[in-house]
Amino acid sequence: MKVAHESPAAAADRPPSAPRRGAVRPLAGAAVLLLLTAAPLVLSAYPISTMTRILAFAVLVLSVDLLTGVTGLPTLGQAAYFGAGAYTAALVGIHLTPDAAVQALAGLAAGLVTAALTGWVAVRARGIVFLMLTLAIGETAHQVADTWPAVGAGNGLAGMPAITLFGGPPLLAAGYVYWWVLVVAVAVYAAVALVVRSPYGRTLRGIRDNEPRMRALGYRPALARYGVFCLAGAVAGVGGALWAAHARFVSPADLGFEVAALALLSVVIGGGGSLWGPCLGAALVLLVRDNLPASIGGHGPLVLGLVFVAVVFLLPRGLAGLRRAPMTPLLELRGRKERRP
């Protein structure tokens, strides 16, 4: 078997900064993680509460990115599994135990089982049909939550006690809840990143880019799509459990169409497939929706729409594309000059 080696000329042409890029990314990630960990030490309760909501919502956005950005299945149904996890965690907290770890595992299991029961229908479709099927799943879950007396129906599920950890005292301070949510969100992010970079993740990208070729190579696209659909449901369920641990209240609005649309919008704005970009998009979307309207007369949705239009036209790869944006025009200009006769 022939092994391709890099020629001396190609090695000489390699930019001297290329080896450094591999070290910059872990350092940047460690710096961001350090800042997030230190935030409760310098910020008051309100911004910490906002950051906690963003982290829980970012976990939901990660599940949408797994389907939309990595596998090429745009979805509007992940809010259903997010709500299943939130309601399950709240019920566990009210009736069984306030332990946050148990509630997170229960939320994961609820999202996984719900996705497994509904995914076998959804993954047989593609494109707009898949989008409509997931929308129908989400709306069905919303109607069930809105009319089922066992989960409070339209009034929501209240009375969830403060979470504890491994038999300790209740975590009443916003900073302690934030640290718990941060730990779980980072663990979920690491797990999703491992899956995306694994051979299974490369299979999903191959199905997204050229499914007939993957089928010709012997892969089973339907089985792979079903697997990632269940995985995304489990991730969304964990996000719902984190949301319930923070809010201690779950309502049908938490799994409504608006939540599903905002999660998909976060992926588009952040850049599908990059993982960190959609998390950044989640922060931007929630900040614009929850914090900006008070200062601009309630026009938060209008600003979100303008941001969406601007990203679509100016940043086809979303916020994640900004990393290469400054160099791209220069490289394109250089290429045009070289091709010019």
Side-chain angles (χ1 to χ4, degrees):
M1 181 176 67
K2 293 183 179 180
V3 179
H5 295 283
E6 187 179 24
S7 67
D13 292 339
R14 186 195 309 141
S17 60
R20 298 176 185 172
R21 292 178 182 174
V24 168
R25 185 177 296 180
L27 289 177
V32 171
L33 187 57
L34 183 62
L35 290 174
L36 289 175
T37 304
L41 303 178
V42 294
L43 297 177
S44 61
Y46 180 73
I48 291 302
S49 177
T50 301
M51 292 175 69
T52 307
R53 285 202 311 273
I54 289 173
L55 287 172
F57 185 69
V59 175
L60 167 64
V61 172
L62 275 178
S63 77
V64 177
D65 191 32
L66 260 178
L67 292 175
T68 303
V70 177
T71 317
L73 297 172
T75 174
L76 282 171
Q78 290 308 101
Y81 315 118
F82 180 79
Y87 272 104
T88 302
L91 289 171
V92 169
I94 293 172
H95 300 290
L96 294 179
T97 173
D99 194 297
V102 177
Q103 295 172 16
L105 290 175
L108 183 152
L112 176 63
V113 171
T114 312
L117 292 175
T118 54
W120 67 275
V121 175
V123 298
R124 284 167 170 75
R126 310 284 189 281
I128 192 67
V129 178
F130 178 82
L131 187 71
M132 291 297 103
L133 277 175
T134 55
L135 174 61
I137 292 171
E139 287 302 300
T140 302
H142 177 259
Q143 288 299 319
V144 169
D146 198 30
T147 56
W148 194 9
V151 294
N155 295 322
L157 196 57
M160 183 179 177
I163 60 172
T164 62
L165 278 177
F166 311 116
L171 303 181
L172 298 176
Y176 293 137
V177 179
Y178 167 82
W179 276 324
W180 163 249
V181 172
L182 176 63
V183 167
V184 178
V186 170
V188 171
Y189 185 96
V192 172
L194 285 175
V195 171
V196 170
R197 294 173 184 175
S198 68
Y200 178 61
R202 289 193 288 274
T203 301
L204 296 176
R205 293 178 187 274
I207 293 172
R208 177 195 64 188
D209 296 336
N210 195 334
E211 183 174 334
R213 183 175 183 181
M214 296 298 291
R215 191 181 293 108
L217 289 173
Y219 290 94
R220 301 176 64 183
L223 189 60
R225 284 196 302 272
Y226 182 65
V228 75
F229 195 91
C230 295
L231 176 62
V235 171
V238 174
L242 297 180
W243 187 273
H246 161 65
R248 296 165 59 184
F249 171 73
V250 185
S251 75
D254 292 332
L255 60 157
F257 173 76
E258 182 185 4
V259 175
L262 289 178
L264 185 58
L265 181 64
S266 300
V267 173
V268 175
I269 290 177
S274 62
L275 297 188
W276 67 268
C279 291
L280 196 59
L284 177 64
V285 166
L286 276 199
L287 287 174
V288 171
R289 189 196 69 167
D290 297 340
N291 295 73
L292 195 59
S295 58
I296 58 173
H299 297 297
L302 175 63
V303 174
L304 271 181
L306 293 176
V307 170
F308 174 73
V309 173
V311 167
V312 168
F313 280 98
L314 301 178
L315 297 170
R317 295 182 178 180
L319 296 177
L322 283 173
R323 191 178 52 180
R324 290 188 295 179
M327 295 298 297
T328 303
L330 297 177
L331 294 175
E332 290 180 350
L333 180 61
R334 181 180 174 182
R336 290 172 187 170
K337 288 182 178 179
E338 290 176 350
R339 290 194 298 268
R340 189 175 299 166

